[in-house]
Amino acid sequence: MDPHRLRAALAVAVVVVLTAAIPASATPTAVTFHLVGTHPPDADYHQGTFTAPSPLCPSGTWQGNGQGSRVFTCADGSGTFTANFSGEVEHTAGASGPWPITAGTGTYGALRGTGRATIDSSTGPNGNPIAFTDTWRGLVDFDNIAPTIKVRRATATRLGKGRSYVLRLSFACPDNVAGNNVSYTVLIGTAASDLAKRAGKTTAIASLSLRVRPPRSALRQRRHHGDGSGRQPADNRTARPASQTPELTS
């Protein structure tokens, strides 16, 4: 493979997780909250009630579609928060799936979070309606400002005449609070599989080298990012290695 073509097509996936919340001395709050819900088998919406600990409101109602977001409305009028969740798993007792809190209103305008839900009970897909109970566990924080990340240097060097290359990558990923640790995972892969992986932590700049042996087809660049409380990055552009004006995300 022509190394110039590789430089133009090489893909880097970066996952950035904020490990220290705002302020730097604080940490996100662990929460466990419970949902009771129903789902008419002939309609694409789930609805029910919830109870939760602080810093969430004590109780309220929720409603959403089966495959996307659901809005939690606090009974005390303090606001709402929105989580993404695949309601299909609520058809099976013992199943589980991830949830992020992505938005809020009122008291919860800056609330973000991430965790995993377990289906404690379910009448199954043949119920009419399908009735279920969930337990959601995870971390939440009042911080809707994500870390930022920008590639400073990305090059691919061919080793000899074979198909092995060394990728050298340097990027800055500071949090909006100076000194907060940001953890990251770099994945290099094709559309079909990952070729290399590296994880680490930094408060400012990370530099690393990874050796890969790409297939004959071109590599592609994938990036995934977020932080421990589910915050999304400010920069969502694609990074290009070598002399292609690189840029990444958090």
Side-chain angles (χ1 to χ4, degrees), residues 39 46 65-68 70 85-91 132:
H39 169 212
H46 294 217
N65 57 43
Q67 291 293 335
R70 53 183 59 177
F85 186 67
S86 176
E88 294 299 315
V89 301
E90 289 168 327
H91 298 176
F132 50 85

Side-chain angles (χ1 to χ4, degrees), residues 18 61 70 116 122 127 147 152 154-155 172 205 211 250:
L18 183 65
T61 59
R70 53 183 59 177
R116 196 163 187 87
S122 176
R152 306 176 68 216
T155 61
I205 297 173
R211 180 169 176 170
S250 68

Side-chain angles (χ1 to χ4, degrees), residues 12 14 149-155 166-173 182 184-186 188 198-211 248:
V12 179
V14 177
I149 183 168
K150 183 176 181 179
V151 172
R152 306 176 68 216
R153 181 172 181 263
T155 61
V166 172
L167 172 68
R168 294 179 175 88
L169 177 66
S170 176
F171 55 91
C173 52
V182 172
Y184 60 85
T185 301
V186 176
I188 302 175
R198 183 73 56 80
K201 295 181 179 181
T202 183
T203 59
I205 297 173
S207 299
L208 49 90
S209 298
L210 302 99
R211 180 169 176 170
L248 260 186

Side-chain angles (χ1 to χ4, degrees), residues 7 25 35 41 50 52 80 89 91 99-100 103 108 114 159 186 227 243:
R7 291 191 184 100
S25 59
L35 279 64
F50 72 93
T80 69
V89 301
H91 298 176
W99 56 264
Y108 311 101
T114 186
L159 300 177
V186 176
D227 60 29
S243 59

Side-chain angles (χ1 to χ4, degrees), residues 140-163:
V140 298
D141 190 24
F142 289 93
D143 178 7
N144 59 355
I145 301 176
T148 59
I149 183 168
K150 183 176 181 179
V151 172
R152 306 176 68 216
R153 181 172 181 263
T155 61
T157 303
R158 188 173 184 174
L159 300 177
K161 297 182 179 180
R163 296 207 322 271

Side-chain angles (χ1 to χ4, degrees), residues 74-79 107:
C74 295
D76 60 8
S78 56
T107 301

Side-chain angles (χ1 to χ4, degrees), residues 4-5 93 120 156 164 180 200-201 205 229 239:
H4 295 289
R5 291 177 57 198
D120 301 315
S164 294
N180 273 5
K201 295 181 179 181
I205 297 173
S229 294

